[in-house]
């Protein structure tokens, strides 16, 4: 479903991604791990279309070239990015924001808008399933949210927007165990045969709760090692250094 | 972002049509004869003519002020018409059904179908085209409650004592250059009187439209809420697109006697001029209210139009425990200029005032907040809170803040907060990643920025205003 080939990204003079190859079929959860500065967040940003990088190579979603599309075009084609640092948007109600986002997706699919009342019912269903406080809806987008609340809000949005491909950028960072469980449960719940997920993480502990199909190690802008879930145990035991060293050397 | 800014430059004004209504107007120029002619057209009593002539005489001793942070070429006050009106196609209309269909169509295009409003919305509307009040809806129901809501000229005929008692009592004819000009040549406007203890049963609303070319519009609004009375009033404004600038110098006076409450909301969307700054309305307006003991005066304004907006809706907090509020959103794009804010004059004890100002600047526009908080020696226990936030879109616009604070009483509490920010790239990307277009994303962020002010608008207009914001910053604020 997601197919990335020889992807490079340069910001200013610095090459951050240096020829990434990655294939994620439908129904699979892939984990991308790697040391700080490996380019993990850049990979997420480039897939989602953030400004500020010079990009070469290809990235397709269901055969559609992503790199030629605006961020919103990518989004409505089913690409969702759960942000590492979700921004606050003061004065904009979370409910209105989520409904506008959902309706943008529906419009792209040629479906009618969801009315405010129907949306509230729908949102409450998703929130109940994800164990998220209904008060979230009446607050401004992420404003005054704790780190954990922001991440849960990301999972809620993912749940409502039902993406084809979800990229979760360090969604587990900075979470206490309870919040981590909610996030992990959300990921597991949204795992379907039609959907692919790329979970970017710095820490193996999320992987006690989410079982990946494939694990990739990103270092110095390239995927240096790929393997099954067992690779996580190796990383936990030995750290990234041996893996990274062998590839770079 | 850069695409957005480019699109701003091609923004178009949706209300820029011109109606083919036959107009009748006085010759160009400003002198005693013109003032006499205006007064005669309205069948005014002698005292009002004298009042106008007094203002004109004083005007001749004054110079047009230039202290604002806006730039405009000299205005030739002799080269414009001071009175224009739709030419009557017969005797004056006795009911809405008899109003000239072309005029009705104009208001329909503006989204103000008078009859519809009368039937459906429960909002009483006074519509003013050029200088003349065209129709006042809902008069009967208001009359039952004892509320008078009519055109100013009608008030002069039907309620001369009230007009005489209060006209100029808050904004005297000599107050400033534009107030003197207005006092001399005002043509019509709206009048509202709510007797003691009465809560006005509906929102009142006036729509102003400048249609004729080379015509200034000088309307006069006088709202009186007697002891314990309560009223909410909204004015909306539009004008056709024209290459030349047109002057709008209105005066609004609010009189809130003890325990009264007046809420005055403005949605100003006069023609702003084109991308290069040609044409557009000069909106030089004096608005002021006087609050008695425990009275409450609240100004809310959403200013999106006009080439230049220059006004400071103010409150004289005369009575003890009176409250003044000013909530403002001023949007400037292209080459628009705004110098707006408020004056809160604390005289009574324990008076309090709140100022929330949101300035949004895009294109090459300049947006200035100018405010005065004045606490007199008598105003024991006075309190003020001021918050001025500026939002910049693009790199060629400007935001300026000039807060003046004069405190003569040691016990007063005055707070001022100010911020300037840009539409944040992270916020935009976040919204776009959720599927919102750049326009929708900007619109949403800007609307969020203005939330505190929009929340003060009457509910009926909240949706309308968000749509207007969308239109005003089309491109940048979808």
């Amino acid at each position: 479903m997601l197919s990335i080939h020889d992807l490079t990204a340069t910001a200013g003079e610095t090459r951050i991604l240096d020829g990434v190859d990655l294939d994620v079929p439908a129904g699979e959860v892939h984990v991308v791990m790697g040391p700080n500065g490996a380019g993990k967040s850049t990979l997420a940003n480039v897939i989602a279309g953030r400004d500020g990088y010079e990009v070469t190579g290809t990235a397709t979603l269901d055969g559609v070239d992503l790199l030629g599309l605006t961020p919103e075009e990518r989004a409505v084609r089913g690409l969702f990015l759960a942000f590492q640092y979700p921004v606050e948007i003061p004065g904009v109600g979370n409910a209105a924001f989520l409904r506008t986002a959902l309706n943008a997706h529906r419009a792209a699919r040629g479906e009618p808008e969801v009315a405010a009342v129907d949306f509230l019912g729908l949102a409450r269903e998703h929130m109940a399933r994800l164990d998220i406080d209904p008060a979230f809806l009446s607050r401004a987008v992420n404003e005054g949210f704790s780190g954990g609340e922001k991440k849960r809000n990301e999972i809620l949005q993912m749940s409502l927007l039902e993406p084809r491909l979800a990229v979760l950028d360090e969604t587990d960072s900075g979470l206490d165990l309870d919040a981590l469980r909610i996030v992990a449960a959300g990921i597991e719940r949204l795992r379907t045969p039609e959907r692919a997920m790329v979970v970017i993480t710095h820490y193996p502990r999320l992987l006690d709760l989410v079982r990946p199909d494939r694990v990739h190690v990103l270092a110095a802008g390239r995927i240096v090692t790929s393997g099954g879930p067992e690779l996580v145990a190796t990383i936990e035991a030995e750290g990234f250094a041996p893996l990274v060293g062998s590839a770079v050397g | 972002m850069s695409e957005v800014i480019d699109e701003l430059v091609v923004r178009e004004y949706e209300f820029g049509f011109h109606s083919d209504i036959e107009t009748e107007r006085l010759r160009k120029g400003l002198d005693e004869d013109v003032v006499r002619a205006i007064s005669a057209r309205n069948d005014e009593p002698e005292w009002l003519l004298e009042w106008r002539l007094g203002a004109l005489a004083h005007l001749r001793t004054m110079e047009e002020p230039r202290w604002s942070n806006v730039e405009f070429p000299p205005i030739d006050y002799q080269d414009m018409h001071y009175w224009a009106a739709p030419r009557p196609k017969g005797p004056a209309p006795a009911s809405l059904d008899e109003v000239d269909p072309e005029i009705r169509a104009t208001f329909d295009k503006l989204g103000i179908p008078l009859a519809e409003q009368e039937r459906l919305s429960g909002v009483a509307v006074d519509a003013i085209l050029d200088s003349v009040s065209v129709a006042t809806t809902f008069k009967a129901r208001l009359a039952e409650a004892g509320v008078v809501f009519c055109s100013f000229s009608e008030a002069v005929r039907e309620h001369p004592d009230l007009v005489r008692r209060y006209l100029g009592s808050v904004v005297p004819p000599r107050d400033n250059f534009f107030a003197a000009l207005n006092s001399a040549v005002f043509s019509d406007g709206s009048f509202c009187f709510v007797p003691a203890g009465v809560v006005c049963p509906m929102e009142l609303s006036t729509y102003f439209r400048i249609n004729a070319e080379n015509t200034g519009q000088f309307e006069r609004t006088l709202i009186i809420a007697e002891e314990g009375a309560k009223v909410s009033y909204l004015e909306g404004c539009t004008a056709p697109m024209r290459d030349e600038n047109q002057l709008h110098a209105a005066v609004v006076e609010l009189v809130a006697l003890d325990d009264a409450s007046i809420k005055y909301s403005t949605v100003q969307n006069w023609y702003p001029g084109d991308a290069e700054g040609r044409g557009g309305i000069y909106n030089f307006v004096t608005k002021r209210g006087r609050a008695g003991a425990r009275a409450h005066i609240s100004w809310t304004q959403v200013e999106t139009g006009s080439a230049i907006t220059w006004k400071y809706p103010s409150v004289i907090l005369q009575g003890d425990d009176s409250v003044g509020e000013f909530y403002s959103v001023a949007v400037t794009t292209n080459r628009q200029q705004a110098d707006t804010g408020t004056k809160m004059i604390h005289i009574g004890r324990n008076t309090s005032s709140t100022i929330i100002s949101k300035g949004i600047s895009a294109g090459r526009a300049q947006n200035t907040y100018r405010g005065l908080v004045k606490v007199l020696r008598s105003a024991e226990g006075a309190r003020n809170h001021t918050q001025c936030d500026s939002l910049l879109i693009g790199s060629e616009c400007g935001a300026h803040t000039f807060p003046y604070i004069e405190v003569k009483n040691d016990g007063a509490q005055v707070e001022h907060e100010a911020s300037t920010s840009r539409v944040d790239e992270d916020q935009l990307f976040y919204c776009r990643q959720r599927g919102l277009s750049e326009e929708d994303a900007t619109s949403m962020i800007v609307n969020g920025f203005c939330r505190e002010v929009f929340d003060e608008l009457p509910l009926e207009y909240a949706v309308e205003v968000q749509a207007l914001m969308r239109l005003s910053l089309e491109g940048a604020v979808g």
Side-chain angles (χ1 to χ4, degrees), chain B residues 138-196:
Chain B
F138 252 115
K139 205 176 282 181
R141 218 184 118 193
L142 289 167
E144 265 172 50
V147 175
V148 178
F149 178 46
C150 61
S151 70
F152 200 92
S153 50
E154 189 179 333
V156 170
R157 288 192 300 273
E158 308 289 328
H159 308 278
D161 295 346
L162 284 174
V163 174
R164 194 168 185 180
R165 179 161 8 142
Y166 291 108
L167 178 66
S169 68
V170 187
V171 180
R174 299 176 170 211
D175 189 81
N176 67 69
F177 180 85
F178 296 109
L181 177 63
N182 174 285
S183 299
V185 300
F186 76 85
S187 36
D188 210 332
S190 285
F191 175 84
C192 172
F193 173 78
V194 187

Side-chain angles (χ1 to χ4, degrees), chain A residues 50 72 75 79-81 88 90-92 100-101 104-105 142 154 157, chain B residues 426-427 429-438 444-445 448-449 451:
Chain A
R50 186 171 199 129
E72 55 269 34
L79 171 67
F80 181 89
L81 172 62
E88 303 189 357
V92 175
T100 307
H105 281 71
N142 294 325
E154 296 292 288
Q157 294 179 43
Chain B
D426 287 342
Q427 289 176 335
F429 180 62
Y430 188 79
C431 294
R432 295 177 72 187
Q433 210 300 307
R434 297 302 182 251
L436 276 67
S437 68
E438 193 171 12
M444 186 166 256
I445 293 163
F449 174 77
R451 174 68 48 214

Side-chain angles (χ1 to χ4, degrees), chain B residues 262-409:
Chain B
I262 300 177
K263 182 178 177 64
Y264 194 102
S265 311
T266 302
V267 178
Q268 185 265 109
N269 187 28
W270 296 118
Y271 177 51
D274 68 10
E276 295 309 314
R278 278 186 301 266
I281 303 293
Y282 291 164
N283 189 35
F284 300 164
V285 171
T286 307
K287 291 179 164 175
R288 194 177 303 151
R290 184 158 46 83
R294 296 167 303 280
H296 191 139
I297 290 180
S298 179
W299 297 101
T300 304
Q301 59 173 23
V302 177
E303 305 279 327
T304 61
S306 296
I308 302 176
T309 296
W310 185 6
K311 66 168 194 166
Y312 313 92
S314 304
V315 184
I316 300 168
L317 296 153
Q318 192 170 37
D320 294 350
D321 302 294
S322 56
V323 177
E325 292 170 332
F326 175 73
Y327 300 98
S328 170
V329 166
V331 182
T332 48
T333 69
N334 291 327
R335 287 184 176 270
Q336 277 178 283
Q337 307 174 76
D339 189 322
T340 184
T342 184
K343 289 188 275 186
M344 293 290 175
I345 314 296
H346 292 256
I347 300 171
R349 297 158 64 91
N350 299 316
T351 45
S352 75
S353 60
T354 303
I355 299 170
I356 309 274
S357 164
K358 306 278 183 179
I360 297 147
S361 237
R364 284 174 287 181
Q366 296 295 326
N367 203 319
T368 299
Y369 168 81
R370 186 187 305 274
L372 169 67
V373 176
K374 189 169 184 173
V375 178
L376 274 63
R377 195 184 299 278
S378 53
E380 197 64 47
R383 294 182 310 282
N384 162 266
H385 177 77
T386 300
Q387 186 189 325
C388 294
D389 299 320
S390 304
L391 188 67
L392 302 174
I393 302 173
S395 55
E396 290 180 87
C397 55
H400 317 269
T401 305
F402 300 104
Y404 301 84
I405 299 173
E406 287 176 41
V407 179
K408 300 263 169 55
N409 184 301

